[in-house]
Amino acid sequence: MTTAPERTDLYPTRATNEVLTERKDPVVWSPPGAPGPMSPSELGGFERDGFHAIEQLITPDEVGVYSGELERLVTDPAIRADERSIVEPKSGSIRSVFEVHKISEVFARLVRDERVVGRARQILGSDVYVHQSRINVKPGFGASGFYWHSDFETWHAEDGLPNMRTVSVSIALTENYDTNGGLMIMPGSHKTFLGCAGETPKDNYKKSLQMQDAGTPSDEALTQLADRHGIRLFTGKAGSATWFDCNAMHGSGDNITPYPRSNVFIVFNSVENAAEEPFAAPIRRPEFIGARDFTPVR
C-alpha cells in the first residue's frame, strides 16, 4: 500500500498563534516584455504596491449596461432565493451575488473582455480561470463593510489554493467617493503573509460572508502592517477599476452616506495554481465561492 506524499504548506495559517511569513512567490509571473494591456511601468507599480488603479476600464455606456443587469439580478425573487445570494443581516437586502458570470451572460462577456482577462493573464503569466465572481451591492444609509483581510489567507486555508498566483479586479458601477465605504489597501502588504490564529469552523463560509471571524487579523498585527505600509483609499468614477494582488491586506468601511457603492468583483487564478484540498479547514467551501472548474477563460 502506498501513501500520497505530504504537501508542502508554504503559508501556514489558522494555528494557535498568528505568524508573519515572507512571500515565497513572484508578484508578476510573466517575463519582462510579455505582451498585454499593461505597460512595463504599470507592471512595476503592481509588483511594488500590489495594486493597479485604472481611471476608466469600461465606458459610461457599458456602465449603464452592467448597472442595469445588476439591478435586474438583485430585484429578481429567484436570484434572492438562490444560495449564491448573500443578504445583509440588518436590512435584509442583497449584499452580494456570487458566480455572477454563470448566472448572467452579460457579466460572462465582461469576464471574457480582453481589457479584463488580458491583464490577468499578463500578471499571472499563464491562462487563467475564474476562481470567484460576484456583484457587490453597498446601498446608502448603513450597508456594512468588509473588515481587513488578505483574500489569499482564506483561499489558501479554505479553498486550497497552493500559491499566490491569483489576482482580483474590482470594477466600479457607481462613483467611489472617499466617504461611501470605498476600498482600502495597505501598499506593499502583499509581500508578507499573515497567518491568522484559530481553527476554521465547519461551514465557516455561511457566517464569514456576512461577518468575518475566522481568518481575521489581530489589532496588533494590523497596526504593525499599517505603520509599515500606510493605507491607500481608492476613489473614482463609475467605470474605474482596481486590480490587486491576492495577498494585499484590504478592507472597506460601512456606507452611511446616501450614495450607493456597487461593483463587479472578479478573481482570476492561474490554471497552473488549481485549487487542491483546503490547507486549514475541515471541508471545501461550495464551488460558487471557490471554483473547481478550471476551464481557461476564452
Side-chain angles (χ1 to χ4, degrees):
M1 180 178 177
T2 60
T3 57
E6 282 194 22
R7 295 186 298 174
T8 299
D9 185 354
L10 297 177
Y11 302 104
T13 189
R14 310 282 174 99
T16 304
N17 300 308
E18 280 185 322
V19 58
L20 290 170
T21 303
E22 290 305 304
R23 185 185 185 115
K24 296 177 172 61
D25 292 309
V27 177
V28 176
W29 290 73
S30 60
M38 297 177 71
S39 69
S41 63
E42 289 172 336
L43 288 172
F46 188 89
E47 165 76 34
R48 179 189 66 244
D49 297 327
F51 60 79
H52 173 59
I54 302 170
E55 289 187 6
Q56 186 180 71
L57 181 68
I58 59 175
T59 68
D61 286 346
E62 290 172 315
V63 168
V65 171
Y66 296 123
S67 297
E69 181 69 351
L70 180 149
E71 182 66 18
R72 183 187 73 81
L73 292 174
V74 300
T75 55
D76 184 339
I79 298 297
R80 182 182 178 84
D82 194 298
E83 67 172 343
R84 292 172 286 188
S85 293
I86 310 302
V87 176
E88 281 276 359
K90 291 182 181 179
S91 68
S93 60
I94 289 181
R95 172 188 180 121
S96 301
V97 179
F98 280 82
E99 212 170 44
V100 71
H101 71 295
K102 292 192 174 181
I103 292 174
S104 164
E105 177 54 32
V106 172
F107 286 114
R109 289 196 300 270
L110 180 63
V111 166
R112 297 191 298 265
D113 191 310
E114 191 60 28
R115 293 170 296 178
V116 178
V117 70
R119 285 178 169 83
R121 293 191 189 106
Q122 191 178 14
I123 292 168
L124 302 179
S126 69
D127 279 333
V128 298
Y129 70 93
V130 177
H131 177 69
Q132 185 186 105
S133 73
R134 66 179 186 260
I135 47 174
N136 291 326
V137 184
K138 191 180 272 192
F141 299 119
S144 55
F146 293 87
Y147 197 68
W148 290 105
H149 64 286
S150 153
D151 287 329
F152 180 76
E153 193 279 336
T154 297
W155 298 339
H156 182 69
E158 300 186 40
D159 297 339
L161 296 191
N163 295 97
M164 295 180 183
R165 199 169 179 180
T166 316
V167 66
S168 302
V169 60
S170 174
I171 305 171
L173 298 182
T174 54
E175 183 155 0
N176 284 236
Y177 301 101
D178 57 6
T179 52
N180 66 341
L183 174 68
M184 296 181 288
I185 296 178
M186 297 184 187
S189 61
H190 62 303
K191 295 190 176 181
T192 304
F193 176 73
L194 178 60
C196 296
E199 292 186 353
T200 309
K202 185 179 179 181
D203 289 344
N204 177 57
Y205 78 93
K206 293 181 179 178
K207 180 180 179 182
S208 67
L209 294 178
Q210 292 181 328
M211 185 174 294
Q212 290 159 259
D213 187 9
T216 302
S218 69
D219 291 352
E220 293 77 15
L222 288 170
T223 300
Q224 180 181 344
L225 288 172
D227 285 346
R228 183 189 306 173
H229 300 293
I231 297 172
R232 166 82 182 270
L233 171 66
F234 292 85
T235 60
K237 300 287 188 181
S240 62
T242 305
W243 290 85
F244 57 100
D245 181 84
C246 59
N247 190 47
M249 189 62 68
H250 66 288
S252 65
D254 295 350
N255 182 13
I256 61 172
T257 75
Y259 311 113
R261 177 180 172 264
S262 299
N263 69 297
V264 187
F265 185 77
I266 306 164
V267 180
F268 293 101
N269 188 38
S270 169
V271 295
E272 299 172 13
N273 190 44
E276 302 174 358
E277 290 305 307
F279 282 83
I283 59 172
R284 301 174 180 175
R285 297 195 299 173
E287 291 194 22
F288 69 85
I289 301 174
R292 297 281 160 171
D293 178 358
F294 310 134
T295 306
V297 176
R298 298 289 189 218

